[in-house]
């Protein structure tokens, strides 16, 4: 009897403890959900977006005041700031409402433009018009209306592109002759459409790794005598894409870009309009991948030089190419830092304005700054020297720039600068965080530790709950997106980073960092991802998190979870498949769980072509049998970015392997982490598996 009473007492104690935990959790949930509204507009003028007025030294922006929005007009030359007149405000509002492009049917992003139709193109001297008719190229005399066919061999199965390129002398027309490939599709079922009871079937064009691609050959036609120039394809035989057709100034040669299938060779080629010979002007090669999406090419007006961006010395830099010889005249930028974007090229002054990161030692190498440099590589000048990550808007003539900078833990400041030397001409806005801090806001903390090699710095951020108590211990959750081609850890100020801070409010420490395999560092830093997307920088993330926990013992890394979407969904699941000794639970949203199932341009870039065993090794489907940790999968039924079948194939593999997991399918949802419902499920999942308490009843939360 005493034993029975003790059992009842123990059960009652557990029930009371669970009730108290749930009550505490309800308060945490309520606080997390209220943060966006709570912090809204507490830091006025934190987001300034200036608009330069064409052909003037004036710009305008909107600032927030206690009385409402105020349109500010600034004359950069006079360094004067005034309230915008109502008449001007109305005119600008009307212009902004006017569509930038003519309205027309929106093409799905994955749909290939076959270039079969297009507008007629007048010659520079206006004497002719070129156009496509019956898959062939025709020209018509403007004066007489007389029509002439330049090509006769075009057909539906091998046709001439409607993108036509007149030579500057109006005597030649260039185009691509295209042999199309069979299109591939995937299908989506919309279970609960808003306009009818019965489901809808949606079809999406979608090329995947290994699928056939079109084959294009540049052709040149002489208008006067009808001469056709068709080159040998030897230098562009294995195509991913032919693009950027451009005539030289004297109309003798046509330049075009060749991106080789597998992305290990990228060439700028030149086709002679007279001989039909093709020669290489610029060539990039890599044993891993040529990151062609980062490249920049600018043919100068002198016709002899090209500014070219390349990672050939292990860092992303600018080179001056001598076009006639194809040799590098000189390297314009150089050093262990990364050129990001070209902002403006002043050919008359031989000056380049650009953004870059990593140039300043002993600080976060991802901080973005703006620079100018002479084309001969001298006169490098930093235009935005203050510590932080900068965003700049240059005037059309590059005489001035508006500069905003901040860090994750410091408020933005916006100034007007002289673009010649970066000198501050006037302060536009300074933000005050007092009101935000009075509401309990805690800034994210930048944190740096060594990666897998014990030498390379890995940079990230740490988020704490607003009721943080250093005497307590907190499970850790990592937010991951490690897809190569960019870097993802926040670097600038925001009142709230939604995915991070809301999770932290539930009683977690939330972290994010950029491990090897991401971009904006060295080429060798990024190369780690090649044919190895399952790496996802985990060998850097794990020591980084351990270093943070060593500094902050309240971080309990025996209870660590991970979540992400898209590539991050693939990586979150990979964490518990390949590193279960460290990661204890994963939420994987809309994941591309097998790179053979995802879009061609992303996956062949990093995983290579042809499709080989590395795709299998990196597949969450093929490795689903390794699962030993709690896993929640989320997918939207209308995801047309990543084929939902990728998630369902993981589900199928897990079921066959007799593994336990949770699946959330959201009707009508596109590519996302599940929206509001996905947030709820993610909150509950980590509350249950890392905090070890039963999640609260959402009906109760909604009532309160």
């Amino acid at each position: 009897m005493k034993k029975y009473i003790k059992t009842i007492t123990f059960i009652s104690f557990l029930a009371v403890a669970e009730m108290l935990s749930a009550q505490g959790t309800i308060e945490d949930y309520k606080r997390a959900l209220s943060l966006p509204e709570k912090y809204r507009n507490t830091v006025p003028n934190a987001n300034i977006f200036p608009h330069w007025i064409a052909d003037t030294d004036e710009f305008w922006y909107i600032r927030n005041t206690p009385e409402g929005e105020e349109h500010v007009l600034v004359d950069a030359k006079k360094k004067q700031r005034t309230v915008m007149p109502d008449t001007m405000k109305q005119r600008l509002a009307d212009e902004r409402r006017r569509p930038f492009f003519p309205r027309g049917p929106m093409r799905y992003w994955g749909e290939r433009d076959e270039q079969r139709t297009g507008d007629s193109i007048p010659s520079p001297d206006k004497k002719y018009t070129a156009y496509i008719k019956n898959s062939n190229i025709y020209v018509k005399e403007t004066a007489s209306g007389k029509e002439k066919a330049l090509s006769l061999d075009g057909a539906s199965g091998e046709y001439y592109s409607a993108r036509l390129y007149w030579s500057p002398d109006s005597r030649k027309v260039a185009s691509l002759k295209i042999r199309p490939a069979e299109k591939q599709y995937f299908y989506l079922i919309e279970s609960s459409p808003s306009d009818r009871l019965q489901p809808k079937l949606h079809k999406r064009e979608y090329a995947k790794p290994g699928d056939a691609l079109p084959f294009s050959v540049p052709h040149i036609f002489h208008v006067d005598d009808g001469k056709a120039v068709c080159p040998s394809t030897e230098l562009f035989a294995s195509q991913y894409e032919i693009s950027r057709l451009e005539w030289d100034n004297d109309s003798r040669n046509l330049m075009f870009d060749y991106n080789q299938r597998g992305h290990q060779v990228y060439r700028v080629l030149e086709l002679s309009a007279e001989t039909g010979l093709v020669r290489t002007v610029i060539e990039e090669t890599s044993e891993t991948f040529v990151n062609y999406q980062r490249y920049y090419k600018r043919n100068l007006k002198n016709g002899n030089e090209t500014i070219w961006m390349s990672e050939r010395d292990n860092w992303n830099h600018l080179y001056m190419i001598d076009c006639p010889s194809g040799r590098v005249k000189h390297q314009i930028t150089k050093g262990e830092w990364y050129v990001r974007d070209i902002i403006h090229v002043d050919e008359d002054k031989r000056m380049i304005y650009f953004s870059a990161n990593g140039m300043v030692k002993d600080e976060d190498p991802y901080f973005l700054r703006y620079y100018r440099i002479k084309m001969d590589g001298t006169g490098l000048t930093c235009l935005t020297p203050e510590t932080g990550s900068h965003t700049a808007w240059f005037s059309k003539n590059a005489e001035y720039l508006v500069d905003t900078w901040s860090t994750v833990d410091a408020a933005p400041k916006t100034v007007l600068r002289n673009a010649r030397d970066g000198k501050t001409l006037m302060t536009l806005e300074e933000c005050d965080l007092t009101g935000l801090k009075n509401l309990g806001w805690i800034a994210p903390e930048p944190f740096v530790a060594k990666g897998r090699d014990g030498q390379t710095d890995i940079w990230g951020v740490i988020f704490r709950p607003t009721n943080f108590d250093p005497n307590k211990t907190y499970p850790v959750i990592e937010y991951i997106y490690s897809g190569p081609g960019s870097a993802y850890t926040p670097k600038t100020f925001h009142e709230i980073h939604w995915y991070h801070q809301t999770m932290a409010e539930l009683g977690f420490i939330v972290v994010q960092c950029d491990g090897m395999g991401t971009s904006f560092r060295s080429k060798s830093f990024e190369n780690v991802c090649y044919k190895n997307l399952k790496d996802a920088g985990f060998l850097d993330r794990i020591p980084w998190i351990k270093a943070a926990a060593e500094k902050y013992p309240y971080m309990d890394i025996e209870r660590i979870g991970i979540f992400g979407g898209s590539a991050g969904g693939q990586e979150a699941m990979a964490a518990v498949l390949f590193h279960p000794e460290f990661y204890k639970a994963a939420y994987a949203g809309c994941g591309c769980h097998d790179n053979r199932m995802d879009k061609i341009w992303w996956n062949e870039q990093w995983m290579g072509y042809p499709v080989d065993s590395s795709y299998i090794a990196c597949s969450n489907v093929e490795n689903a049998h390794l699962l030993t940790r709690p896993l929640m999968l989320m997918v939207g039924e209308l995801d047309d970015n990543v084929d939902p079948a990728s998630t369902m194939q993981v589900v199928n593999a897990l079921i066959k392997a007799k593994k336990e997991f949770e699946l959330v399918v959201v009707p009508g949802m596109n590519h996302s982490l599940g929206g509001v419902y996905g947030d709820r499920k993610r909150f509950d999942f980590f509350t249950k598996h890392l905090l070890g308490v039963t999640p609260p009843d959402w009906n109760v939360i909604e009532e309160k």
Side-chain angles (χ1 to χ4, degrees), residues 289-307:
F289 54 85
V290 172
N291 196 346
Y292 68 94
Q293 296 181 63
R294 293 287 169 208
Y295 283 0
Y296 171 90
K297 180 183 72 174
R298 165 98 175 216
N299 296 328
L300 300 188
K301 291 183 292 187
N302 60 29
N304 297 317
E305 295 175 309
T306 293
I307 299 171

Side-chain angles (χ1 to χ4, degrees), residues 370-402:
Y370 292 78
Y371 301 85
R372 66 179 237 168
I373 192 171
K374 295 179 181 177
M375 289 186 188
D376 64 4
T378 64
L380 177 65
T381 303
C382 180
L383 304 176
T384 56
E386 288 83 357
T387 300
S389 201
H390 294 251
T391 301
W393 296 263
F394 283 72
S395 60
K396 186 176 181 180
N397 59 10
E399 288 292 321
Y400 306 97
L401 68 143
V402 177

Side-chain angles (χ1 to χ4, degrees), residues 123-183:
S123 61
D125 62 8
K126 309 302 181 186
K127 292 182 179 180
Y128 293 94
T129 299
Y131 51 93
I132 294 295
K133 179 179 174 181
N134 299 327
S135 302
N136 282 289
I137 300 174
Y138 282 71
V139 293
K140 180 183 293 185
E141 291 183 358
T142 304
S144 66
K146 183 180 178 180
E147 182 183 73
K148 179 170 66 173
L150 296 183
S151 71
L152 297 172
D153 58 342
S156 60
E158 195 166 12
Y159 57 91
Y160 286 95
S161 167
R163 294 181 186 173
L164 304 172
Y165 301 84
W166 279 99
S167 60
D169 64 6
S170 300
R171 298 180 62 188
K172 309 173 191 75
V173 177
S175 181
L176 292 174
K177 190 177 185 183
I178 300 174
R179 185 173 70 238
E182 181 182 1
K183 292 186 176 184

Side-chain angles (χ1 to χ4, degrees), residues 13-312:
F13 173 78
L14 287 179
V16 171
E18 185 170 290
M19 272 179 35
L20 291 173
S21 298
Q23 181 61 36
T25 307
I26 287 176
E27 298 306 315
D28 294 335
Y29 274 48
K30 288 167 57 182
R31 188 172 60 255
L33 296 170
S34 69
L35 282 185
E37 187 61 35
K38 181 179 180 181
Y39 290 163
R40 191 186 308 277
N41 298 326
T42 53
V43 186
N45 308 315
N47 300 299
I48 297 297
F49 297 100
H51 305 267
W52 286 96
I53 301 173
D55 301 321
T56 73
D57 292 324
E58 294 181 315
F59 65 92
W60 64 274
Y61 67 92
I62 298 175
R63 71 188 306 268
N64 298 315
T65 73
E67 292 75 32
E69 289 186 347
E70 178 181 87
H71 287 65
V72 179
L73 180 65
V74 180
D75 187 317
K77 191 171 185 177
K78 296 179 180 179
K79 292 183 284 188
Q80 291 180 349
R81 179 169 59 179
T82 59
V83 176
M84 182 183 291
D86 289 340
T87 54
M88 185 177 183
K89 189 191 307 182
Q90 184 61 49
R91 178 172 60 82
L92 290 173
D94 293 341
E95 289 179 357
R96 294 179 74 187
R97 281 194 291 268
R98 190 179 303 134
F100 188 75
F101 295 108
R103 294 188 183 276
M106 293 293 292
R107 179 185 289 119
Y108 168 61
W109 66 265
E111 184 179 341
R112 185 186 307 148
D113 180 4
E114 294 190 306
Q115 304 177 32
R116 291 182 183 269
T117 60
D119 296 332
S120 58
I121 309 296
S123 61
D125 62 8
K126 309 302 181 186
K127 292 182 179 180
Y128 293 94
T129 299
Y131 51 93
I132 294 295
K133 179 179 174 181
N134 299 327
S135 302
N136 282 289
I137 300 174
Y138 282 71
V139 293
K140 180 183 293 185
E141 291 183 358
T142 304
S144 66
K146 183 180 178 180
E147 182 183 73
K148 179 170 66 173
L150 296 183
S151 71
L152 297 172
D153 58 342
S156 60
E158 195 166 12
Y159 57 91
Y160 286 95
S161 167
R163 294 181 186 173
L164 304 172
Y165 301 84
W166 279 99
S167 60
D169 64 6
S170 300
R171 298 180 62 188
K172 309 173 191 75
V173 177
S175 181
L176 292 174
K177 190 177 185 183
I178 300 174
R179 185 173 70 238
E182 181 182 1
K183 292 186 176 184
Q184 301 297 321
Y185 302 90
F186 75 85
Y187 299 86
L188 303 165
I189 297 178
E190 184 178 6
S191 65
S192 311
S194 59
D195 59 344
R196 73 185 203 192
L197 176 64
Q198 297 303 319
K200 290 182 179 179
L201 178 65
H202 299 273
K203 178 181 179 181
R204 297 286 187 268
E205 182 182 336
Y206 196 95
K208 296 180 179 180
D211 286 349
L213 294 176
F215 189 84
S216 303
V217 181
H219 282 59
I220 296 174
F221 295 91
H222 294 244
V223 175
D224 295 339
D225 58 13
K227 178 182 176 181
V229 177
C230 175
S232 165
T233 62
E234 181 181 0
L235 288 175
F236 53 97
S238 178
Q239 299 179 12
Y240 177 78
E241 186 179 36
I242 299 292
S243 63
R244 298 183 181 181
L245 277 64
E246 184 177 1
W247 284 97
D248 62 11
N249 293 338
D250 59 12
S251 303
R252 296 177 59 187
N253 302 292
L254 181 75
M255 295 181 71
F256 62 96
D257 288 13
Y258 163 62
N259 190 351
Q260 183 170 293
R261 190 86 184 257
H263 308 293
Q264 292 182 306
V265 176
Y266 195 100
R267 295 189 183 112
V268 177
L269 300 172
E270 182 184 82
L271 167 62
S272 169
E274 296 299 326
T275 67
L277 294 178
V278 179
R279 73 178 183 94
T280 300
V281 180
I282 305 172
E283 181 176 82
E284 293 291 336
T285 62
S286 174
E287 293 182 358
T288 57
F289 54 85
V290 172
N291 196 346
Y292 68 94
Q293 296 181 63
R294 293 287 169 208
Y295 283 0
Y296 171 90
K297 180 183 72 174
R298 165 98 175 216
N299 296 328
L300 300 188
K301 291 183 292 187
N302 60 29
N304 297 317
E305 295 175 309
T306 293
I307 299 171
W308 179 251
M309 186 183 288
S310 169
E311 294 178 299
R312 59 182 62 185

Side-chain angles (χ1 to χ4, degrees), residues 281-282 300 302-308 312 318-332 350 375-377:
V281 180
I282 305 172
L300 300 188
N302 60 29
N304 297 317
E305 295 175 309
T306 293
I307 299 171
W308 179 251
R312 59 182 62 185
L318 299 178
Y319 295 78
M320 185 65 76
I321 306 296
D322 178 73
C323 294
S325 67
R327 293 194 298 266
V328 175
K329 292 182 67 174
H330 57 268
Q331 187 169 346
I332 301 172
R350 304 279 292 180
M375 289 186 188
D376 64 4

Side-chain angles (χ1 to χ4, degrees), residues 521-594:
R521 302 284 286 273
S522 65
K523 180 70 164 67
S524 56
F525 188 98
E526 189 176 48
N527 276 346
V528 168
C529 74
Y530 182 61
K531 290 185 176 291
N532 189 30
L533 286 179
K534 68 179 173 58
D535 179 279
F538 288 124
L539 299 183
D540 308 300
R541 298 170 184 281
I542 292 172
W544 184 89
I545 294 171
K546 287 181 176 178
E550 184 175 351
K551 181 177 181 179
Y552 302 117
Y554 50 75
M555 293 175 60
D556 181 2
I557 58 174
E558 291 301 313
R559 296 181 291 162
I560 180 167
I562 187 169
F563 76 99
S566 194
Q570 177 184 15
E571 293 149 359
M573 182 175 178
V576 290
L577 293 183
F578 303 115
H579 302 279
E581 75 290 345
F582 188 75
Y583 294 98
K584 305 307 193 300
Y587 177 98
C590 56
C592 41
H593 293 288
D594 189 310

